[in-house]
Amino acid sequence: TSQLVTELTDEVRADNLRALLLSALTQAGSAAPTVVLMEDAQWFDSPSLALLVAAVRNVPALLFVVTSRKREDPPADHAALAGLAGAAHLTLRSLEPEAVDQLLAARLGVRTLPEPVRALVRERAAGNPFYSEELGYALRDYGLIVVEQERCRVADPARELAAAFTEALASKGLPATVQGVVTSRIDRLGQAEQFVVRVASVIGRSFSVAMLGEIHPALVPAAALDASLAALTERDIVRPEAGGGEPRYTFRHAITQQVAYDLTPYAQRRDLHRAVGEWLEARHAADL
């Protein structure tokens, strides 16, 4: 059998893999009505998009929901996906300023926001909900605003808030982008939490606590790992997943995972990817 597999061409391998995945999706859809969520399609390569198009065409029992950020030069595969019969295309527009204020107040747990905070977030985030939230958290984490008893105030009213925030980012050599703001928030975590975030980012957007603990290079005790995850949850970096089974967490946003991944040195990412593969092989060896 190994010789037969070795002799397969790349094209035959790709066709067989695609047929296998389509068969698995068909089986999943036959049990009950199922929604398949595919996030961040702007990162999909051509084979992945071709598989998605084939699945939409050949597995009608599944409802596919695909999210993607806008691209100036979308590949032809994106057009093929949007042009499928029955496909509905929804464009999410920027939030209105009042909605941004309400969102940020809810995230910070306050009733109202000072005008300097509203002005800074409205100008820089331009209605992007994730960026708005991250700006609010960053202002809090840097001590530029004070949140207490459901009230928010600027820590130093005599200092212009936008300039203070720009200076705080510049001191770390970070750009005033959403990636820079997320980087600054990760940078202000404790050392243990930073390491957990980086290890988890290699596993993926969603990760199990069991895998995280076993591939963590420091082999931290379970209690310490739980404490780090609790701190990351409090900071709204990750969130616990609902449902039964073994405990799992999800990065609150794909950008947060990507930033943490990019902050991890290449050699460390390589070793962690190997550890993930070995963990999966050991855990699922009996399934082969």
Side-chain angles (χ1 to χ4, degrees), residues 190-200 216-218 268 272:
Q191 185 175 5
E193 286 71 38
Q194 286 189 40
F195 205 18
V196 167
V197 164
R198 293 180 181 185
V199 175
H216 194 295
Q268 190 176 82
L272 288 170

Side-chain angles (χ1 to χ4, degrees), residues 94-133 135-137 139 145 147 150-152 161:
S94 300
L95 291 180
E96 295 295 329
E98 294 75 13
V100 171
D101 296 346
Q102 294 173 7
L103 172 65
L104 190 55
R107 290 291 182 263
L108 293 176
V110 299
R111 297 176 183 174
T112 59
L113 297 168
E115 177 55 33
V117 176
R118 293 201 301 270
L120 186 152
V121 174
R122 287 180 179 185
E123 177 185 355
R124 300 207 178 189
N128 182 304
F130 176 66
Y131 197 0
S132 300
E133 293 174 357
L135 281 171
Y137 291 142
L139 291 171
I145 61 174
V147 177
E150 298 184 350
R151 294 182 179 180
C152 175
L161 184 61

